Amino acid sequence: EAGVAQSPRYKIIEKRQSVAFWCNPISGHATLYWYQQILGQGPKLLIQFQNNGVVDDSQLPKDRFSAERLKGVDSTLKIQPAKLEDSAVYLCASSLWRTETQYFGPGTRLLVL
Amino acid sequence: QKEVEQDPGPLSVPEGAIVSLNCTYSNSAFQYFMWYRQYSRKGPELLMYTYSSGNKEDGRFTAQVDKSSKYISLFIRDSQPSDSATYLCAMSNTDKLIFGTGTRLQVFP
């Protein structure tokens, strides 16, 4: 079974630029999560999708972050404009259903200069 | 006070040692308790999953939950250099996971 795929793996941008991350969850998984993991901290949930609907985006900085999950499969997370404090690893995870085990992708490392 | 507290380490032990990793939490509503292992430049992977209080054993790993003390532990027996990683505790009362900061473990030969 293929795992959660993410791209790109690394991204370096300057502040005020925009960036987008892509996630392909495990086939058949209805729930998809985006986490932000700042160096030395645990992952923090940004947004959770159930199929293509948003379940929880309470910790998403909506003035600069946006996310979508088209057709209930792939998802993109966008930051526009980026700030220095957005430097982090962005992890995508998926689960069969909301209360099932979450499987994580390798993450995208973002460095904002 | 953070909802989940975890000593960041690093913890350095010799091969074969018994390792004890711990987390405390403040939200008494948490029912699901997990330990994830995260290798450098990789995503977290689930190691152990426990519902409510009690012990769970899987090979060299034992997870303990003490809800009365709001304290969870992960024990690793006969530690190996391949166990060197960051160990994250996570817990929830629904489907939203709250993670600790992670403890970095180094097992040297």
Side-chain angles (χ1 to χ4, degrees):
Chain A
E1 178 182 78
V4 176
Q6 289 188 247
S7 68
R9 292 296 311 276
Y10 305 91
K11 192 73 178 179
I12 301 174
I13 62 172
E14 295 188 351
K15 60 183 179 183
R16 291 188 289 275
Q17 285 187 324
S18 63
V19 65
F21 312 127
W22 173 82
C23 173
N24 179 238
I26 293 172
S27 177
H29 280 197
T31 314
L32 186 146
Y33 311 79
W34 282 103
Y35 289 86
Q36 180 192 58
Q37 186 175 24
I38 292 172
L39 188 64
Q41 297 183 20
K44 183 185 82 171
L45 180 68
L46 292 175
I47 189 166
Q48 176 184 346
F49 292 94
Q50 184 66 25
N51 295 309
N52 60 349
V54 175
V55 173
D56 184 349
D57 64 356
S58 57
Q59 298 194 88
L60 187 74
K62 298 179 188 63
D63 57 335
R64 298 184 301 106
F65 285 64
S66 64
E68 61 181 5
R69 189 181 185 196
L70 299 175
K71 300 180 182 178
V73 182
D74 292 5
S75 177
T76 56
L77 177 69
K78 296 179 182 177
I79 308 175
Q80 183 180 11
K83 292 185 175 181
L84 297 177
E85 58 262 35
D86 298 331
S87 294
V89 177
Y90 291 85
L91 294 162
C92 180
S94 70
S95 63
L96 200 58
W97 197 247
R98 288 177 64 173
T99 56
E100 299 294 323
T101 300
Q102 296 185 27
Y103 295 89
F104 285 81
T108 296
R109 289 184 174 277
L110 173 67
L111 179 60
V112 182
L113 302 175
Chain B
Q1 182 189 12
K2 291 183 180 179
E3 274 193 289
V4 179
E5 300 273 4
Q6 185 175 10
D7 186 334
L11 184 61
S12 186
V13 301
E15 183 176 354
I18 296 175
V19 176
S20 172
L21 304 167
N22 313 293
C23 287
T24 59
Y25 62 94
S26 58
N27 188 345
S28 57
F30 286 145
Q31 294 277 11
Y32 305 94
F33 303 91
M34 286 140 278
W35 286 95
Y36 280 83
R37 178 174 62 195
Q38 186 173 25
Y39 289 114
S40 180
R41 301 187 184 277
K42 301 285 188 183
E45 58 174 328
L46 183 66
L47 261 184
M48 300 287 284
Y49 174 96
T50 310
Y51 171 70
S52 195
S53 282
N55 294 359
K56 186 172 184 178
E57 188 173 322
D58 184 1
R60 297 184 294 112
F61 299 90
T62 300
Q64 288 185 352
V65 175
D66 182 349
K67 292 191 70 180
S68 62
S69 301
K70 297 191 182 70
Y71 188 87
I72 71 170
S73 300
L74 177 70
F75 297 95
I76 308 174
R77 290 184 299 280
D78 188 24
S79 56
Q80 302 294 311
S82 58
D83 295 328
S84 298
T86 296
Y87 290 79
L88 296 153
C89 63
M91 44 199 82
S92 73
N93 59 334
T94 57
D95 52 346
K96 181 175 179 177
L97 292 182
I98 307 297
F99 283 87
T101 54
T103 299
R104 192 156 62 90
L105 172 67
Q106 180 72 37
V107 181
F108 56 90

